[in-house]
Amino acid sequence: NEELWVQSVLEMPKRRDILAIVLIVLPWTLLITVWHQSTIAPLLAVHKDDGGDSRRDLAAGLDSKEYCLSERDIVEVVRTEYVYTRPPPWSDTLPTIHVITPTYSRPVQKAELTRLANTLLHVPNLHWILVEDSQRRTPLITRLLRDTGLNYTHLNVETPRNYKLRGDMRDPRIPRGTMQRNLALRWLRETFNRNNSQPGIVYFADDDNTYSLELFEEMRSTRKVSVWPVAFVGGLRYEAPKVNAAGKVYGWKTVFDPHRPFAIDMAGFAVNLRLILQRSQAYFKLRGVKGGYQESSLLRELVTLNDLEPKAANCTKILVWHTRTEKPVLVNEGKKGFTDPNVEI
Amino acid sequence: PAAGRAPQQQRRGPEAALPTIYAITPTYSRPVQKAELTRLANTFRQVSRLHWILVEDAAARSELVSRFVAGAGLPCTHLHVPTPRRYKRPGLPRATEQRNAGLAWLRQRHQHLPPPQPGVLFFADDDNTYSLELFQEMRSTRKVAVWPVGLVGGRRYERPLVENGKVVGWYTGWRADRPFAIDMAGFAVSLQVILSHPKAVFKRRGSQPGMQESDFLKQITTVEELEPKANNCTKVLVWHTRTEKVNLANEPKYHLDTVSIEV
């Protein structure tokens, strides 16, 4: 009896029934799924990975209308809209940009990471290494990362607290973000083989700065360490490396301690992954680092001044801004102005 | 460590039927202007069928913004109108003339086009932070839609209170007695409503500080008509970020909200 029952159960869904169901249901399921998602993401069209293309497209296809509305001139710029998947499809030929972002919990954290993610989602072959300053990986960040669709790695390490002060204060002798950046460097060294020729670039991106898309394309060609100007640091409109006629960095255009070995902000340089893997003991110094010397503590283990590669049109363009949640201090511009006013920030 | 990689997805859809989202952004010259516009553009460029209306507080179009618009990477209308000096006092509402210029452009543009032109407009200040989900939510606005705003009113967030899909009140730290106790970043209006109320503008004469949104909305809608978005106004999809430290002095010790919301 049992055998008959089993046999009849097996025979019940006949092959042609299954085939019919699949052929009818599957296309409708696909259609409904696709139509439902169409409001969420833009259409895929041709997407060039050269960030400059959008400007060239505009120059060629610009269609501008001018007409007056009472006293106001109105210029309407009509551009061909280009849309793409989010993030762009992975390319086999582009070096991966590993973006290391330390982050900590505070009211604006989610907002900062949201708008940073919205920028990163434009960049092809980007790997976001987000390192929380926390005891455990938090649900907020876990969810946020998953929902962005980015290629990411989620790490955490807690900066020790200073128990002499109020319970929640971190140890002020360790600059914020240091342990988190170092953890990411260690992760890279444990994950990637020194002999493996997967090309990559490492960039330290704090979660409250502002990054143009052009910046990521500039850093992609880094052979050892590349550098560029950063706006709103050192009490200036911007700080920049000094570049001579031969295209070599020979100094630093800063007011605050220009004689630092590398008078540059964390956002102003990128390092080739190969170099990170080769100099496997190079880390940011944890303690005893004078203000403004953090970057030097890592870079002097990696490269000399002469080896630096200037980007951003020989360090004359601003592609990254050290935005913060307060008004930029411009006291070092002095009465006559220190930076070149023709450089737009 | 947790690692993730999104599956490559190609999404195709009926693009022509999608309502256009119009973002009206007043902007003014200061050191962080280009940075703010850059990161805002980076967000807007992720949204399909978004038309950016950028209005400078200036007597003439500036080089910086003109260059920026030319390379912005999304459809953009560049307007300008200067705020009269007498209205530049602290405590007075800002960007009134600029928002009205955006409204005027939209109205003028659509008076020659055949209806229906489905569209939704919202006021996007250049220093706020917008999640991509917000645009999904506002796209289905039929008349006027509302949602929570993070980091505003001295609180982690403000939001409309919703019962049975209708707005019944306001969870806010400041003057909850306003007819529409909502921030500029907390609502969107369908193009249809803007076109059918040609006189609805932001007021100057007789406007009290903090009443801009309320005075505008009561010209075009009622509380009963409001469409709550963002999961019945329980998710924060937009943050009123600013360039100063967050003020949480108005977080209540008593009469806490009925839900626990992440900002």
Side-chain angles (χ1 to χ4, degrees):
Chain A
N1 261 354
E2 201 175 324
E3 280 179 22
L4 279 171
W5 179 80
V6 166
Q7 199 168 14
S8 70
V9 163
L10 287 174
E11 275 177 6
M12 253 168 26
K14 290 202 168 48
R15 219 177 290 155
R16 66 155 191 267
D17 291 337
I18 298 171
L19 192 62
I21 289 169
V22 166
L23 284 176
I24 293 170
V25 168
L26 189 61
W28 285 106
T29 310
L30 283 173
L31 196 66
I32 291 166
T33 308
V34 162
W35 275 62
H36 173 70
Q37 287 183 350
S38 68
T39 55
I40 298 171
L43 209 62
L44 172 67
V46 176
H47 173 63
K48 298 168 195 150
D49 50 30
D50 174 3
D53 260 3
S54 58
R55 285 184 178 76
R56 286 207 298 274
D57 282 347
L58 173 64
L62 178 57
D63 174 29
S64 74
K65 298 176 232 172
E66 283 195 36
Y67 57 93
C68 288
L69 182 68
S70 50
E71 328 87 60
R72 303 178 206 129
D73 285 343
I74 300 165
V75 170
E76 182 176 346
V77 176
V78 178
R79 283 207 72 241
T80 312
E81 197 178 327
Y82 75 91
V83 288
Y84 39 76
T85 52
R86 191 163 69 217
W90 203 264
S91 154
D92 285 330
T93 51
L94 293 176
T96 301
I97 298 179
H98 302 276
V99 174
I100 297 175
T101 299
T103 187
Y104 66 101
S105 173
R106 75 277 194 200
V108 296
Q109 180 186 40
K110 192 177 177 190
E112 302 280 42
L113 293 175
T114 296
R115 59 182 166 187
L116 179 52
N118 290 346
T119 291
L120 299 180
L121 279 164
H122 286 275
V123 184
N125 287 42
L126 185 135
H127 173 221
W128 198 16
I129 305 175
L130 196 56
V131 193
E132 293 195 71
D133 186 341
S134 61
Q135 244 182 34
R136 267 171 280 281
R137 294 202 302 268
T138 63
L140 187 153
I141 301 298
T142 304
R143 269 194 301 266
L144 184 145
L145 282 170
R146 186 198 58 213
D147 290 347
T148 61
L150 283 165
N151 180 4
Y152 67 88
T153 295
H154 184 184
L155 307 174
N156 71 287
V157 60
E158 195 179 27
T159 308
R161 289 157 200 252
N162 187 337
Y163 291 105
K164 289 184 195 155
L165 305 174
R166 262 176 291 159
D168 200 37
M169 294 283 284
R170 308 286 176 196
D171 190 336
R173 293 169 299 166
I174 303 176
R176 203 202 281 281
T178 309
M179 291 186 66
Q180 289 71 36
R181 294 186 192 101
N182 282 345
L183 179 65
L185 289 174
R186 201 177 85 198
W187 181 90
L188 284 168
R189 286 158 178 153
E190 285 170 4
T191 305
F192 293 101
N193 190 339
R194 183 184 316 192
N195 301 319
N196 190 333
S197 59
Q198 272 183 32
I201 312 292
V202 177
Y203 180 56
F204 298 98
D206 288 351
D207 66 6
D208 55 355
N209 291 341
T210 302
Y211 309 91
S212 69
L213 300 186
E214 209 181 323
L215 177 73
F216 297 101
E217 298 320 310
E218 287 287 301
M219 71 174 71
R220 225 186 273 274
S221 54
T222 304
R223 289 191 319 273
K224 287 190 177 178
V225 176
S226 56
V227 293
W228 49 78
V230 178
F232 310 139
V233 285
L236 295 171
R237 290 170 71 241
Y238 63 88
E239 285 183 342
K242 286 192 198 168
V243 181
N244 63 21
K248 289 283 186 196
V249 176
Y250 67 95
W252 309 98
K253 201 161 158 43
T254 79
V255 166
F256 170 68
D257 208 343
H259 303 296
R260 288 172 276 165
F262 296 87
I264 195 167
D265 181 79
M266 197 67 70
F269 67 92
V271 186
N272 191 307
L273 177 63
R274 202 182 327 117
L275 193 56
I276 296 286
L277 300 177
Q278 278 167 3
R279 307 279 166 93
S280 56
Q281 299 311 310
Y283 286 96
F284 289 101
K285 193 152 177 263
L286 209 53
R287 285 190 177 83
V289 179
K290 259 201 315 186
Y293 282 76
Q294 255 250 304
E295 294 82 358
S296 294
S297 74
L298 175 73
L299 287 171
R300 56 186 242 268
E301 315 226 6
L302 296 174
V303 77
T304 63
L305 209 69
N306 193 53
D307 277 343
L308 295 176
E309 302 147 49
K311 300 290 179 188
N314 269 341
C315 296
T316 60
K317 283 168 73 168
I318 305 299
L319 302 177
V320 58
W321 301 260
H322 195 274
T323 42
R324 288 207 148 285
T325 53
E326 72 266 351
K327 208 170 154 185
V329 171
L330 297 179
V331 68
N332 277 343
E333 289 287 347
K335 284 210 182 96
K336 296 208 186 120
F338 181 83
T339 57
D340 184 347
N342 291 320
V343 174
E344 184 185 271
I345 56 168
Chain B
R5 168 94 160 257
Q8 301 309 323
Q9 291 167 27
Q10 276 194 354
R11 297 182 176 111
R12 292 185 180 279
E15 283 288 314
L18 217 55
T20 301
I21 293 179
Y22 296 94
I24 297 181
T25 296
T27 186
Y28 67 101
S29 172
R30 75 279 194 199
V32 295
Q33 180 182 39
K34 191 177 175 192
E36 301 281 41
L37 294 177
T38 298
R39 59 183 168 185
L40 193 52
N42 289 345
T43 289
F44 286 169
R45 284 165 73 173
Q46 299 286 5
V47 183
S48 51
R49 285 189 82 97
L50 187 143
H51 187 120
W52 201 5
I53 302 171
L54 201 48
V55 193
E56 290 195 75
D57 182 349
R61 223 171 273 114
S62 70
E63 293 265 336
L64 186 150
V65 177
S66 301
R67 261 197 299 267
F68 176 82
V69 165
L74 73 159
C76 185
T77 296
H78 182 187
L79 310 174
H80 66 91
V81 60
T83 305
R85 200 176 304 169
R86 65 185 179 279
Y87 293 136
K88 281 195 180 161
R89 293 199 319 267
L92 287 184
R94 290 183 302 191
T96 304
E97 287 73 21
Q98 288 74 38
R99 294 191 186 103
N100 286 339
L103 291 172
W105 180 86
L106 265 176
R107 285 168 172 141
Q108 214 229 28
R109 183 204 215 207
H110 283 93
Q111 80 183 122
H112 301 299
L113 292 174
Q117 292 283 322
V120 179
L121 77 97
F122 80 112
F123 298 98
D125 289 350
D126 67 5
D127 55 355
N128 289 342
T129 302
Y130 307 90
S131 71
L132 300 181
E133 206 182 328
L134 178 72
F135 301 99
Q136 275 173 250
E137 291 288 301
M138 75 169 72
R139 187 117 36 197
S140 56
T141 303
R142 288 190 322 270
K143 291 194 172 172
V144 180
V146 293
W147 52 75
V149 178
L151 310 173
V152 71
R155 290 194 161 179
R156 291 171 65 241
Y157 61 86
E158 283 184 339
R159 71 183 185 101
L161 295 168
V162 176
E163 262 168 45
N164 296 324
K166 292 270 177 214
V167 174
V168 296
W170 311 94
Y171 178 72
T172 166
W174 191 80
R175 289 203 59 188
D177 59 316
R178 290 172 282 161
F180 296 87
I182 196 165
D183 181 80
M184 196 67 71
F187 67 93
V189 186
S190 79
L191 182 62
Q192 180 55 36
V193 166
I194 290 296
L195 298 177
S196 59
H197 295 80
K199 294 213 167 66
V201 291
F202 289 94
K203 293 200 316 221
R204 266 297 180 200
R205 214 167 289 156
S207 63
Q208 285 183 317
M211 294 299 291
Q212 282 195 93
E213 295 87 350
S214 215
D215 289 341
F216 178 70
L217 287 170
K218 63 181 206 236
Q219 299 170 60
I220 58 175
T221 190
T222 62
V223 175
E224 292 74 43
E225 264 190 351
L226 295 176
E227 301 150 50
K229 301 289 179 188
N231 199 31
N232 275 333
C233 295
T234 58
K235 285 169 74 168
V236 174
L237 303 176
V238 57
W239 299 262
H240 197 275
T241 41
R242 290 210 149 285
T243 53
E244 71 266 351
K245 202 171 160 188
V246 170
N247 175 7
L248 297 179
N250 280 340
E251 277 293 332
K253 287 203 182 93
Y254 315 102
H255 305 299
L256 295 172
D257 197 2
T258 50
V259 294
S260 164
I261 299 180
E262 181 189 88
V263 298

